Amino acid sequence: MEGSAAISDRDTSQDSLYAQAAAAHGTALDRLARAYELDPEIRRDLLQEIHLQIWTSFAQFDGRCSLRTWVYRIAHNVATRHVIRQSRVRSRLVSIENIETVAGDDRGELAASQAEALQRLSALIQRLKPLDRQIIVSYLEDMDAVAIGEITGLSPANVAMKVHRIKAILRRWFGEVRFP
Amino acid sequence: MNDPRDAWQNQPTEPFRMSADLLRYKARQRHAKARFSAALSIALGLILCFCFAASCYMARETLPRLGWGVLSLWSLYFAAHTYRWVRPGGLAPDANLSTCRAFYRAQLEKERDYGLHIWRRSGLTFCFLGIALVFVPVVVHSWKTPQVLRNALPFFILLAAWAVAFVRMNKQKRRRLHEDIAELNASEMDKS
């Protein structure tokens, strides 16, 4: 009886943690999936896989990091595995340092609308290698260098350097951008 | 446009949430699938082992009996080793990117090594030794009665076709795995 009670308690906490995570980060997870997959059908499968892995992982969640860090780490891992497995896509990816050598569409001109800006941003993200993609997506979600470091496993100094490059690239791709 | 982060955070999203029951169902489904593929390789090995052991029991001559015995033991070994080498290992759910990458590369290398040493790892040498022990006496006897050899001909043709296809497919798979590993290595060099 004690065993079943423990399992039931664990299930309840797993479910409640998932409900909490889905409510707080559901839309961010949807945006994250968009950064890794353009095809809506495959993206839905990817999103489903991300949610499933997050729910499964809560059985091992020990609270040593924040719920947000845990959720993002798992979501990025699932999405990265998705990209790594697509060898045809993988071979065309470039690092943030080399993105400037790749020709971009309409670079330098100001985006006329939010939709156009989003389109350009997606095109930029889709060209990046997984690690740089993790950093740029986390940056776009307003995370600081420490939080990004916790997710990616890089040092905050290394992340800060990458973020600096990302800002410079965004400035070149989107015209004059005001960064706080 | 002021900040790309505004465009990113304000993009339209679709509400997506899975119920706890659906999550449990999916998790159970996945476990069941993994268990089924593991059970299938063991069951196939056991069925083959039983069939070969029965043939071993019924064979009258020493060499074919020995051959069926070798095949029976090989099928057990094959099932166990296929399961051991092909089964994916576990990865911590919150592992960071370098761990994920290392894990993925280890999986690719494991598959590549299995293909490279498939004759030793899956005991195919013993399989062919068993087949030879079973069929060589039949072929030797059939010089006097060519009808038996003619009857066995389709089996030998199929065996030869399978061997050619197996070698070619194994080679292609190894090449693909090599390319994947090389790409991963290249991307790691870029990162450093």
Side-chain angles (χ1 to χ4, degrees), chain A residues 15 48-49 77 129 140 180, chain B residues 9 24 26 30 95 190:
Chain A
D15 291 350
Q48 196 176 356
E49 179 64 22
N77 284 348
K129 287 186 170 179
L140 290 169
Chain B
Q9 287 173 27
R24 277 199 192 84
K26 292 267 178 195
R30 186 161 297 185
D190 282 357

Side-chain angles (χ1 to χ4, degrees), chain B residues 4 9 19 57 65 79 84-85 99 108 114 119 129 133 163 187:
Chain B
Q9 287 173 27
S19 70
Y57 178 73
R65 176 170 281 192
R84 194 185 136 212
W85 280 92
T99 315
L108 289 178
Y114 182 76
W119 286 89
L129 176 73
L133 284 171
S187 70

Side-chain angles (χ1 to χ4, degrees), chain B residues 29-100:
Chain B
Q29 212 179 22
R30 186 161 297 185
H31 273 288
K33 205 176 161 189
R35 269 205 311 271
F36 176 75
S37 56
L40 187 71
S41 69
I42 292 168
L44 269 175
L46 287 176
I47 290 167
L48 281 176
C49 176
F50 177 77
C51 295
F52 291 148
S55 303
C56 175
Y57 178 73
M58 286 187 292
R60 288 181 202 155
E61 292 177 48
T62 314
L63 275 184
R65 176 170 281 192
L66 201 65
W68 290 121
V70 168
L71 282 173
S72 173
L73 289 176
W74 166 76
S75 51
L76 275 183
Y77 176 85
F78 177 75
H81 269 249
T82 307
Y83 178 67
R84 194 185 136 212
W85 280 92
V86 176
R87 179 186 56 168
L91 175 69
D94 63 327
N96 62 32
L97 182 69
S98 52
T99 315
C100 276

Side-chain angles (χ1 to χ4, degrees), chain A residues 11 15 18-19 22 27 30-31 34-35 44 47-49 51-53 55 57 60 70 73-74 77 80-81 84 87 90-91 114 117-118 121 125 129 131 134 139-142 152-153 174 176-178 180, chain B residues 1-20 22-24 26-27 30 91-98 100-101 103-104 108 179-181 183-184 186-188 190-191:
Chain A
D11 282 357
D15 291 350
Y18 170 71
T27 48
D30 189 78
R31 290 194 290 267
R34 281 162 199 265
R44 200 163 173 80
L47 196 56
Q48 196 176 356
E49 179 64 22
H51 278 258
L52 183 61
Q53 289 299 332
W55 176 79
S57 75
Q60 295 167 45
W70 181 270
R73 214 184 272 171
I74 286 152
N77 284 348
T80 298
R81 278 204 291 273
I84 287 177
S87 52
R90 200 175 62 217
S91 59
Q114 189 99 332
L118 189 60
L121 197 53
I125 292 169
K129 287 186 170 179
L131 181 71
Q134 286 188 358
Y139 166 73
L140 290 169
E141 291 291 343
D142 271 343
T152 56
F174 295 91
E176 272 312 301
V177 179
R178 284 204 305 268
Chain B
M1 197 198 73
N2 291 333
D3 193 338
R5 284 179 291 189
D6 290 337
W8 180 256
Q9 287 173 27
N10 294 323
Q11 65 178 295
T13 53
E14 289 164 29
F16 182 89
R17 199 173 161 181
M18 290 166 82
S19 70
L22 181 63
L23 286 162
R24 277 199 192 84
K26 292 267 178 195
R30 186 161 297 185
L91 175 69
D94 63 327
N96 62 32
L97 182 69
S98 52
C100 276
R101 203 191 284 263
F103 176 81
Y104 182 63
L108 289 178
E179 283 168 9
D180 280 359
I181 292 166
E183 264 180 38
L184 270 181
S187 70
E188 274 187 2
D190 282 357
K191 202 183 106 185

